[in-house]
Amino acid sequence: MQNISLIYGTNPFEKLFIEKGIELLYSNTIDTYRLRLHNPKTLIEELITVAAESVSGILTNNDYVVYTCKELKKIIDNENHGLNFTNLNKKYYSETISKFDKSNYKLLIQSSKIVLRDNEQYERYLLHSLYKLVYSHKFLNDDGTSRFRNDVNDLQKKLIVLSNHLLVALIHKGYSKQYLYNFFQIIFIRKRSLTFKDRFRIFTSLITKTEERFLVIYRILGGAFRHSELNKIDDTYQKISKSFRNSHQKRLSQQVNAFLDKNKESNLIGLRVEARDYVKAIEKSLDKLSKDIDIYHLGFNQHVFKIGDQCAVIGERDLSKSATFPSNFQIDGYTRSNSEVFNKLLDKIQKIQNNNIDKESYNKILSAVRYYRTAGESPEVETKLLNYWIGLEYIFTAFNSEEKTIDRIRRYFPKCHALIYVKRNMFDFHKALGRQGLSGVINNYSDDLNYLLSINSYRDICAQTNSELLKFRTQFFQKWYEEPNKIEESLKHHQDNLIWNFTRLYRIRNEIVHNAAIKNGIYVHISHIKYYLTFILNSVLDYMAEMGVDTDNDGKITIEDFFIAQEIILGSLKGKKLAEFLNVKNPTQILN
């Protein structure tokens, strides 16, 4: 959650929309509040794909349809789905996706297509609903009752959920998350002399904006590379020559001119793509160039060819806005990297070596660490995802068990993460209070989080902050403090989400391995699995370095002991108050 200062007036709902939009799109937002992978419509589209491939025999695991149906049903049973059910009754559709037998797949596919047809203008409907929602604040009449507060809270929830659905829709329409974040910042925060209504109207233009033609220029590393040979694969590749530089110099930005001049002796090639924004242009062009370089390398396999880490992007609508960008994709989430991280990691590895740790478990950890590294180094998205997944499988595989690795992941990981979920989110809330400048006005504000066990702290935060998003979140966490059953609801929801997402990741992994699929647009999936591996490595390292309990009495400390211990601790916290969850010792997160 960022500290946002606006230079124009807004009502509370308008400000909440802006603050939540920034949080959803910011790459370093904690995954709890980051933009979701799907909205209801895109999840229906995924369900159709998965069910159709199951009918055709491409996919053979029924879990893919089952878990997608469960995820979709959970969303549409919530009234904030934003879907129109015109030609198909919502109750009927909900019942249809609750039947998981393969004989029902064709009915499921056809009914899903009818729902999609009713929602061809889903993005416009979401925009209209959101504007009506923020505008409705002027008609609210606070009568001081708890019913009024609950009604406002329901409206805020709807605003937050629909904002997520809209931004996901724009991503699937062809915009990049990075571009939307920058656009949102400029329109709603930096731009001067406009009302919120004017700004929202500009934001709405994204729906009708057509694709632009971009020229993306890359540097190819490798002295033996020849542009003429690459052109045999596709003759649209353009060699960036001296004449190109001279003819475009006056119209291009200083940044791009500097890039072209610096690399004038190198192999610079350009390719044109149609895209919604400059980041998407890089993604599209890099995907094509990578595939063609693979073919090129097949014929000239004695040489090494690589794509440079910077590229120039030139939009044909306005060459002066051309700029340079990293050519590698950006993964969401912040990862620490410094000498302190290294020293803590080394200390834990040395402790493990001196403890009574099972050799097989120790080797699994080292293997997982290796695949964590190779995933980070790999330039190809498919290889990156596979390496992170292999690292995860090393941790969860049990050679003396008949249980499948994916079943063990879905069984144990959600429990391990649910155990730290409450404290992790409360600590993120604690840091947000500091960023909002509230640490000095809250009694006993401290990293031990004990001040969050006082009702007065929540009241003080709501009274002191100007952030509508922080007020909303404060009220949410206050319910965790006052009503322990709300914690149980959150943990159940979180564990379900993890199970569904692991099933999705497993399907993508199998499509790459078994169907030779080249998967585009899996950057978000990679950020998820990278975090999962980071978390579980941290947790296992902490447990073994601190001499965890030999829960199965085999004479050694094993990864299996860790899983059993986490399950026991989580079970013992069922129904407990917030204070008990804050006493849980989180992994030190030395990698994240």
Side-chain angles (χ1 to χ4, degrees):
M1 186 188 305
Q2 298 184 33
N3 189 6
I4 296 172
S5 178
L6 300 177
I7 57 177
Y8 59 99
T10 58
N11 71 42
F13 283 4
E14 290 169 343
K15 190 169 186 183
L16 178 61
F17 170 76
I18 295 167
E19 291 176 327
K20 185 58 188 178
I22 291 294
E23 181 179 59
L24 287 167
L25 295 170
Y26 182 50
S27 62
N28 287 342
T29 296
I30 187 174
D31 54 288
T32 306
Y33 310 119
R34 205 181 297 156
L35 192 66
R36 301 291 94 182
L37 183 62
H38 281 294
N39 64 27
K41 183 182 178 183
T42 63
L43 194 55
I44 291 173
E45 292 169 344
E46 180 174 271
L47 176 59
I48 291 173
T49 299
V50 172
E53 291 183 351
S54 296
V55 170
S56 67
I58 296 175
L59 299 177
T60 57
N61 191 333
N62 195 44
D63 285 354
Y64 305 143
V65 174
V66 171
Y67 286 111
T68 307
C69 284
K70 288 182 177 180
E71 184 177 2
L72 178 58
K73 180 174 169 56
K74 182 71 175 287
I75 290 179
I76 65 172
D77 284 349
N78 184 316
E79 290 303 316
N80 295 331
H81 51 72
L83 292 169
N84 288 307
F85 288 91
T86 306
N87 292 302
L88 192 68
N89 180 276
K90 176 188 167 183
K91 181 182 179 182
Y92 174 82
Y93 185 62
S94 180
E95 291 173 350
T96 300
I97 62 175
S98 300
K99 301 170 185 175
F100 307 133
D101 190 87
K102 280 193 173 184
S103 62
N104 188 55
Y105 283 7
K106 291 184 179 180
L107 182 64
L108 186 154
I109 292 169
Q110 293 305 318
S111 58
S112 295
K113 287 182 177 180
I114 292 173
V115 177
L116 286 184
R117 190 172 60 196
D118 287 342
N119 289 275
E120 291 178 349
Q121 301 298 317
Y122 187 60
E123 300 89 350
R124 293 180 183 275
Y125 177 77
L126 289 174
L127 278 166
H128 181 66
S129 298
L130 279 167
Y131 187 74
K132 281 178 60 180
L133 195 53
V134 297
Y135 187 69
S136 70
H137 187 272
K138 67 184 295 184
F139 301 109
L140 296 178
N141 182 26
D142 188 353
D143 58 7
T145 63
S146 59
R147 179 178 179 180
F148 173 82
R149 290 193 296 273
N150 291 335
D151 288 345
V152 170
N153 187 260
D154 288 341
L155 290 173
Q156 290 172 320
K157 283 181 186 176
K158 183 175 183 178
L159 191 154
I160 287 173
V161 172
L162 293 186
S163 295
N164 175 81
H165 292 347
L166 174 60
L167 292 172
V168 170
L170 291 174
I171 295 288
H172 284 260
K173 196 174 180 67
Y175 290 102
S176 67
K177 186 178 176 183
Q178 183 179 337
Y179 173 82
L180 289 177
Y181 176 74
N182 292 336
F183 187 87
F184 209 91
Q185 282 263 13
I186 292 169
I187 299 304
F188 288 105
I189 299 177
R190 300 176 194 166
K191 212 170 185 66
R192 296 182 177 274
S193 305
L194 292 175
T195 65
F196 177 85
K197 185 176 181 179
D198 295 330
R199 297 167 194 272
F200 196 86
R201 187 181 297 114
I202 297 172
F203 180 66
T204 302
S205 68
L206 290 173
I207 296 294
T208 56
K209 180 185 175 184
T210 58
E211 289 190 334
E212 181 178 357
R213 191 167 177 78
F214 291 90
L215 174 65
V216 188
I217 301 173
Y218 294 95
R219 179 189 177 203
I220 306 299
L221 306 177
F225 175 80
R226 295 293 179 267
H227 169 262
S228 57
E229 299 296 337
L230 183 66
N231 260 28
K232 292 178 181 178
I233 301 173
D234 187 334
D235 62 7
T236 61
Y237 284 108
Q238 179 179 353
K239 185 175 183 179
I240 306 303
S241 60
K242 182 178 180 180
S243 61
F244 175 90
R245 296 197 305 273
N246 291 339
S247 63
H248 290 77
Q249 185 176 16
K250 292 182 179 180
R251 292 181 293 166
L252 296 176
S253 68
Q254 183 178 354
Q255 188 181 54
V256 168
N257 277 321
F259 172 81
L260 297 178
D261 185 64
K262 178 183 178 181
N263 297 291
K264 62 185 178 183
E265 302 299 329
S266 304
N267 291 308
L268 290 179
I269 62 167
L271 63 161
R272 287 179 167 79
V273 293
E274 303 277 341
R276 298 276 182 186
D277 61 67
Y278 52 89
V279 178
K280 204 67 178 179
I282 296 173
E283 183 182 325
K284 283 186 171 183
S285 59
L286 187 61
D287 176 59
K288 173 173 172 47
L289 179 58
S290 297
K291 292 174 182 176
D292 289 343
I293 288 290
D294 289 342
I295 297 171
Y296 185 96
H297 178 265
L298 188 63
F300 297 91
N301 53 67
Q302 296 299 315
H303 304 283
V304 176
F305 306 106
K306 293 184 178 180
I307 300 171
D309 57 8
Q310 287 286 115
C311 64
V313 184
I314 305 169
E316 291 188 356
R317 290 175 184 168
D318 188 350
L319 274 65
S320 66
K321 291 183 178 180
S322 57
T324 60
F325 301 93
S327 58
N328 57 324
F329 53 86
Q330 308 299 304
I331 294 179
D332 285 349
Y334 171 71
T335 303
R336 294 169 55 203
S337 175
N338 53 43
S339 59
E340 181 186 359
V341 170
F342 171 73
N343 289 332
K344 286 184 177 180
L345 173 62
L346 184 61
D347 178 61
K348 292 183 185 300
I349 294 294
Q350 290 172 341
K351 284 182 178 179
I352 289 174
Q353 290 174 331
N354 295 328
N355 290 344
N356 188 32
I357 303 301
D358 172 63
K359 184 177 180 180
E360 180 183 304
S361 294
Y362 179 68
N363 288 335
K364 283 183 178 181
I365 293 171
L366 294 184
S367 295
V369 169
R370 168 172 290 181
Y371 279 96
Y372 184 92
R373 174 183 63 81
T374 56
E377 293 174 350
S378 174
E380 295 84 12
V381 292
E382 298 91 354
T383 308
K384 192 177 287 288
L385 185 141
L386 286 179
N387 279 320
Y388 283 132
W389 184 269
I390 292 170
L392 202 64
E393 284 192 340
Y394 267 108
I395 297 297
F396 284 91
T397 297
F399 299 115
N400 59 350
S401 172
E402 294 183 0
E403 191 176 16
K404 294 179 180 178
T405 302
I406 179 58
D407 292 331
R408 287 175 58 81
I409 292 174
R410 289 187 295 212
R411 174 185 171 189
Y412 286 119
F413 189 100
K415 291 184 174 67
C416 294
H417 203 263
L419 181 60
I420 61 95
Y421 182 76
V422 172
K423 187 172 182 179
R424 180 172 184 253
N425 281 281
M426 295 303 285
F427 194 74
D428 180 76
F429 176 64
H430 164 74
K431 291 190 293 184
L433 295 175
R435 289 193 297 272
Q436 297 284 339
L438 296 176
S439 57
V441 299
I442 302 172
N443 287 333
N444 302 315
Y445 177 89
S446 170
D447 286 351
D448 62 17
L449 306 184
N450 286 333
Y451 69 96
L452 294 173
L453 301 177
S454 166
I455 190 65
N456 290 330
S457 293
Y458 298 97
R459 292 170 179 167
D460 289 344
I461 294 167
C462 287
Q464 295 293 332
T465 184
N466 293 319
S467 168
E468 295 301 322
L469 182 58
L470 185 59
K471 288 177 187 177
F472 177 82
R473 195 150 296 151
T474 301
Q475 293 163 359
F476 179 82
F477 287 138
Q478 183 177 334
K479 289 183 179 179
W480 275 10
Y481 171 68
E482 294 176 328
E483 306 173 47
N485 65 301
K486 296 296 183 183
I487 296 178
E488 287 301 310
E489 290 176 10
S490 295
L491 293 182
K492 174 65 169 62
H493 179 66
H494 177 59
Q495 290 181 80
D496 285 344
N497 282 337
L498 286 171
I499 292 170
W500 298 332
N501 205 32
F502 274 120
T503 304
R504 177 178 292 111
L505 289 168
Y506 186 58
R507 172 173 57 82
I508 294 172
R509 175 260 188 204
N510 286 341
E511 288 175 350
I512 295 172
V513 172
H514 301 300
N515 300 339
I518 296 178
K519 306 294 291 184
N520 299 321
I522 57 173
Y523 308 111
V524 176
H525 302 83
I526 292 171
S527 70
H528 290 173
I529 196 167
K530 178 184 178 182
Y531 170 72
Y532 297 156
L533 179 56
T534 301
F535 162 74
I536 205 68
L537 271 174
N538 276 287
S539 301
V540 172
L541 284 170
D542 276 10
Y543 183 83
M544 292 192 164
E546 296 169 11
M547 283 296 289
V549 179
D550 177 16
T551 57
D552 54 7
N553 293 316
D554 63 355
K556 295 283 186 180
I557 306 299
T558 66
I559 292 177
E560 193 71 18
D561 292 324
F562 164 76
F563 291 144
I564 295 172
Q566 304 307 289
E567 189 170 13
I568 291 171
I569 297 171
L570 180 64
S572 70
L573 288 172
K574 188 175 179 63
K576 297 294 184 180
K577 294 183 178 180
L578 179 61
E580 298 295 325
F581 284 91
L582 295 186
N583 285 331
V584 171
K585 186 174 181 181
N586 282 9
T588 54
Q589 295 295 318
I590 58 171
L591 300 177
N592 193 311

